[in-house]
Amino acid sequence: WYRGYRLTGKSYRGDRAMPESGFDTTFRFGAFSGSTIDYAPVGLNSLLYRYALDLSAFARRLGERAAARRWAAAAAARKRAINTYLWNARLGQYTDYDFVTGKRSHYAFITTFYPLWAGVASRAQARAVRDNLPLFERKGGLATSDYASGAQWDAPFGWAPTNWLAVAGLEAYGYRAAARRIAGKFIATVNRGFAHQGVIREKYNMDTGSAHVRITAGYTQNEIGFGWTNGVYVKMAQLLAAHTGAR
C-alpha cells in the first residue's frame, strides 16, 4: 500500500498518484484550483490519518505486529504534521498549506471540520473550529466555503458528505447541540427539495435551503438520486433520533 507518508496533496504507490478526497472545482487553491499541486490539503491528510489508523488495526487483527506498528507510527507522524502545518491558530481553523511558498491558506473551507472527525484536534482546537461555524452555517446547513466563486465546491453550495463529516466531528467533541442543529437543517433541505421536485439531489443551495442550484464555474449539473445524499440523510436522522430529548 502507501509508502509515502509526506504531508502532500497526493499519496503514492509506485509512480502513480491516487486522489483521495473527491473535491473538484473550487477557488481554494487559486482560480479554478489551478495551483492544487502546490498545496497540502486538510481533507486529504485527515483521511490519510484515519486510513493509517485503520490499517494498523487491520494488521493487529491479522497478527502482523510489525505492520501494525508501522502504520501506527505513520498515523502519529501525520497527526503531528497536520497540527504543525495545517492548524492556523490566528484564524482558529485548519487551513490548507502551500508548501511552495511555505504559507498557510486563509481560505475558509469546510474541511476545517475534518480533523475533528478524524480525532486529530485538541479540545482547544475543536472549540475554536466550532466557534467559526458562522462562517459556514446557513439556512440549509453548512456551505462549503464562505466565498461565492460560482464553482460548485464553494458558497452557497453544500454537500451531504462534507456536512456529515462536520456533524460527526462536532458530535465527537461533545458539541451535540451544534451537530443536531446542522443535521436538522440539512435534513430539512433535502425534504424541501424532495417535496418540490420528487427527487433527491447531489448538492444543495445552503443559502435558500433548497435544491435550486445554479453553477457558473465547472460542472453545472445537479444529479438525481445521489447515493451519498441518501446515506447521509439516514445517518443524520439516526443521530437526531438518538438524541431526542437529550439536553
Side-chain angles (χ1 to χ4, degrees), residues 75-126:
R78 192 172 295 276
K79 180 177 180 178
R80 289 192 297 271
I82 288 172
N83 282 315
T84 298
Y85 294 100
L86 305 184
W87 174 245
N88 192 321
R90 187 172 71 82
L91 297 181
Q93 300 174 53
Y94 284 94
T95 59
D96 306 311
Y97 181 74
D98 185 336
F99 50 78
V100 174
T101 64
K103 295 180 180 179
R104 294 179 179 86
S105 171
H106 291 81
Y107 202 99
F109 205 70
I110 199 168
T111 48
T112 191
F113 296 97
Y114 280 40
L116 278 64
W117 163 81
V120 168
S122 68
R123 292 290 172 183
Q125 288 168 324

Side-chain angles (χ1 to χ4, degrees), residues 124-169:
Q125 288 168 324
R127 182 170 59 252
V129 171
R130 186 278 312 268
D131 290 345
N132 276 301
L133 270 171
L135 290 173
F136 306 95
E137 190 170 354
R138 305 288 189 269
K139 175 181 178 180
L142 298 181
T144 309
S145 74
D146 66 345
Y147 176 61
S149 66
Q152 65 172 352
W153 287 97
D154 273 319
F157 310 119
W159 302 68
T162 52
N163 270 259
W164 171 248
L165 290 177
V167 164

Side-chain angles (χ1 to χ4, degrees), residues 110 133 136-144 156 158 163 181-187 189 192 205-207 209:
I110 199 168
L133 270 171
F136 306 95
E137 190 170 354
R138 305 288 189 269
K139 175 181 178 180
L142 298 181
T144 309
N163 270 259
R181 184 179 69 248
I182 295 161
K185 286 184 172 184
F186 192 81
I187 280 179
T189 296
R192 279 190 293 269
N205 186 320
M206 297 292 98
D207 281 352

Side-chain angles (χ1 to χ4, degrees), residues 210-230:
S210 73
H212 298 295
V213 172
R214 186 170 183 269
I215 307 295
T216 59
Y219 188 73
T220 60
Q221 300 299 312
N222 194 3
E223 301 295 342
I224 292 173
F226 231 69
W228 63 30
T229 307
N230 299 313

